[in-house]
Amino acid sequence: MAVTVKTFANASEAAGALSSDRSARYVGGGTLVMRALNEGDVSISTIVRASDQALTRIDASGPRVTLGAGVTFARVLAERDLAFLHAPARSIGGPAVRNMGTVGGNLFAPSPYGDFTVALLALDAIIAVAGGFGARDIPIEEFLQARERQAGTLVLSVSCTRPASAEAFRFRKIARIKPKGGAVITLAAHLPISGGRIAGARIALGSMAPTQIRARAAERTLEGRSLDAATIAAAASAAAEGTSPSDNALGSAWYRREIVGVHLRRLLSGQE
Amino acid sequence: MSKIPLQFRHNGRDVAIFVDGGTNLLVALRELIGDMTPKFGCGQGGCGTCSVLIDGELHLSCLTLAETVAGRSVETLDGMKQGPNLHPLQRAFADHFAAQCGYCTPGMLMAAKALLDRNPAPSRDEVVEAISGNICRCTGYEPIINAILAAAGGRVSA
Ligand SMILES: Cc1cc2nc3c(=O)[nH]c(=O)nc-3n(C[C@H](O)[C@H](O)[C@H](O)COP(=O)(O)OP(=O)(O)OC[C@H]3O[C@@H](n4cnc5c(N)ncnc54)[C@H](O)[C@@H]3O)c2cc1C
Ligand code: FES
Ligand code: FES
């Protein structure tokens, strides 16, 4: 079935078009939207695009990094200043999907997808959105919790603070098919160190709940500690607390709960 | 619903077609331009046999909204042929038995070309990574990897 495609040169006009039409869907890289159209999803009658250059801008020169929603994973990988985001970007799809898929689209990708978003959640990213009400910034956790209700808002960019060192930010995606495959689970950890102790630990998990979530119990075991064997063991045993994974073709909920602590322990102890 | 005019470069030639809104590039290439070299496998991004190069970058044509290629350059397997001669990659695929049923071959060749255009001397791991979005049900991948490495090594004459 043919749909109407509306292309806007300006992001705020695109946001206006999205918020005024319930059946309109924004298309970023299209890797999920085109899939839905090819399958004959009749709930989409209008496709909104924006060619606004602001959406594909990368600002990675300073301590605060901003990625336009339309930035592709291939572009993240091409940017030397974004080395801390290379592991999550590389974990996605094959090369064609990385050339097409965007950071903005990843925020909406349902499980088993959304690997890049797991990294952004551990980094306490801020999501800049535009809707009928104008533009505003939303902390990523709040954004994800209300994701179902975000239809009609346009994500403009995501931003986060650059981790202090390579060890301070870690990412791990567990997949059965390598190098390409959907995640069984995905983990990211941000461990800022202050005076030898962890201050502001963030552990984010993918495929452990309907959206990406923080492992708050595990974070608490890390807070104020140094990253020694006892602390790592405590974090690993708390990893599954508060999670609600489900069964899918890649793994069962039981299996996910069993392995999440194992992989968190490996991630925190720097094991491959 | 009215048709949308669309112009782009197809294998170095300017083309102009009219598409329905929401048409994907694979349908536009096959049904409107008559280039049957990109194949339909899944329409879901999962198999890679519809792979094409857009401005030199590997893309899945089944997941590309046709209108997004306006003014851009699209390269398919059809553009690889060089008169009566096979492209070195095609020659290498033939010499190394890298095609059995052949259904994955157009996508494999485009993924391989995208790699070699950027990285003329890839490692084996880089070849594996480059074709990781392309599924082959027949060969077990080894002959394909060997063919791409052979083409890169220049051991296969055009
Ligand atoms: C073969 C294959 C393999 C894949 N592998 C992975 C993988 O390993 N890991 C992974 O995480 N994902 C994977 N994906 C899923 C997908 O490609 C990525 O999640 C990608 O980031 C989605 O981005 P997109 O721009 O293509 O999304 P689109 O299809 O354009 O959009 C997806 C959704 O997000 C909304 N959206 C997009 N941009 C915006 C915006 N700026 N503002 C508001 N809403 C927006 C759309 O309306 C739509 O609902 C895979 C997909 C395929 C086809
Ligand atoms: S037909 Fe496009 S990936 Fe399978
Ligand atoms: S040769 Fe048959 S699918 Fe690859």
Side-chain angles (χ1 to χ4, degrees):
Chain A
M1 195 195 68
V3 299
T4 305
V5 180
K6 293 181 178 166
T7 304
F8 298 92
N10 179 300
S12 59
E13 284 168 20
L18 269 182
S19 63
S20 62
D21 178 356
R22 293 183 109 253
S23 68
R25 191 82 79 84
Y26 186 76
V27 65
T31 55
L32 295 171
V33 171
M34 288 305 289
R35 243 186 188 189
L37 279 186
N38 290 349
E39 258 180 4
D41 184 339
V42 291
S43 72
I44 310 173
S45 67
T46 305
I47 295 270
V48 173
R49 290 172 62 209
S51 53
D52 197 328
Q53 304 233 324
L55 292 173
T56 54
R57 203 170 289 150
I58 295 180
D59 180 1
S61 51
R64 188 114 193 125
V65 166
T66 304
L67 306 178
V71 169
T72 62
F73 304 113
R75 284 197 53 218
V76 170
L77 286 166
E79 198 75 43
R80 217 180 289 165
D81 288 336
L82 293 176
F84 68 104
L85 291 173
H86 285 184
R90 204 178 301 114
S91 82
I92 290 166
V97 169
R98 290 194 290 276
N99 286 337
M100 302 171 72
T102 66
V103 169
N106 204 261
L107 292 168
F108 295 89
S111 180
Y113 297 144
D115 298 312
F116 198 79
T117 303
V118 176
L120 292 176
L121 178 57
L123 290 164
D124 274 333
I126 298 290
I127 315 297
V129 302
F133 45 77
R136 71 186 174 116
D137 288 342
I138 311 176
I140 185 165
E141 196 176 17
E142 194 184 309
F143 176 91
L144 291 171
Q145 279 159 4
R147 188 164 72 181
E148 298 301 306
R149 298 193 297 278
Q150 304 289 1
T153 57
L154 176 67
V155 174
L156 301 173
S157 66
V158 303
S159 57
C160 67
T161 304
R162 180 190 303 281
S165 68
E167 296 81 64
F169 181 68
R170 303 159 188 214
F171 177 87
R172 191 180 183 94
K173 169 176 166 179
I174 313 305
R176 293 183 190 275
I177 304 164
K178 289 182 181 120
K180 189 200 94 165
V184 179
I185 58 170
T186 308
L187 308 95
H190 186 206
L191 309 167
I193 305 279
S194 165
R197 315 236 158 238
I198 299 165
R202 290 287 181 275
I203 307 290
L205 303 174
S207 298
M208 288 302 293
T211 66
Q212 298 83 347
I213 52 161
R214 273 173 57 188
R216 282 208 151 70
E219 289 175 359
R220 278 194 298 271
T221 66
L222 296 167
E223 202 57 33
R225 305 292 176 102
S226 62
L227 201 57
D228 54 30
T231 305
I232 290 174
S237 59
E241 221 172 280
T243 63
S244 51
S246 41
D247 297 334
N248 67 13
L250 299 165
S252 65
W254 172 85
Y255 181 69
R256 292 188 158 94
R257 261 190 229 101
E258 289 293 311
I259 65 168
V260 67
V262 175
H263 288 294
L264 182 59
R265 177 165 48 70
R266 291 183 186 163
L267 183 73
L268 295 178
S269 47
Q271 237 172 292
E272 261 315 295
Chain B
M1 209 164 298
S2 60
K3 301 256 184 191
I4 303 141
L6 173 64
Q7 295 186 23
F8 60 98
R9 272 186 98 69
H10 170 249
N11 295 328
R13 198 170 55 94
D14 288 322
V15 291
I17 51 175
F18 289 93
V19 295
D20 288 322
T23 301
N24 68 49
L25 180 61
L26 178 62
V27 166
L29 288 169
R30 290 180 62 89
E31 294 178 13
L32 301 172
I33 292 182
D35 178 352
M36 295 300 193
T37 58
K39 303 291 177 211
F40 175 88
C42 63
Q44 296 287 294
C47 73
T49 195
C50 67
S51 299
V52 299
L53 305 188
I54 300 178
D55 290 339
E57 242 187 19
L58 191 69
H59 284 242
L60 299 165
S61 63
C62 74
L63 297 185
T64 302
L65 187 63
E67 288 154 70
T68 59
V69 302
R72 302 176 75 184
S73 161
V74 177
E75 207 180 323
T76 70
L77 177 60
D78 197 39
M80 220 189 236
K81 65 173 187 245
Q82 305 166 333
N85 297 323
L86 292 177
H87 184 279
L89 270 168
Q90 291 175 306
R91 183 77 258 158
F93 268 55
D95 289 348
H96 289 79
F97 304 102
Q100 283 184 30
C101 80
Y103 207 78
C104 69
T105 311
M108 288 289 181
L109 284 165
M110 295 321 285
K113 183 164 192 298
L115 171 69
L116 298 190
D117 284 352
R118 210 168 9 94
N119 177 1
S123 67
R124 192 179 180 84
D125 282 350
E126 286 169 333
V127 171
V128 170
E129 176 65 50
I131 60 166
S132 64
N134 298 70
I135 288 179
C136 176
R137 301 170 304 167
C138 305
T139 65
Y141 300 100
E142 286 301 311
I144 297 175
I145 297 165
N146 291 338
I148 297 169
L149 285 169
R155 275 177 280 135
V156 184
S157 54

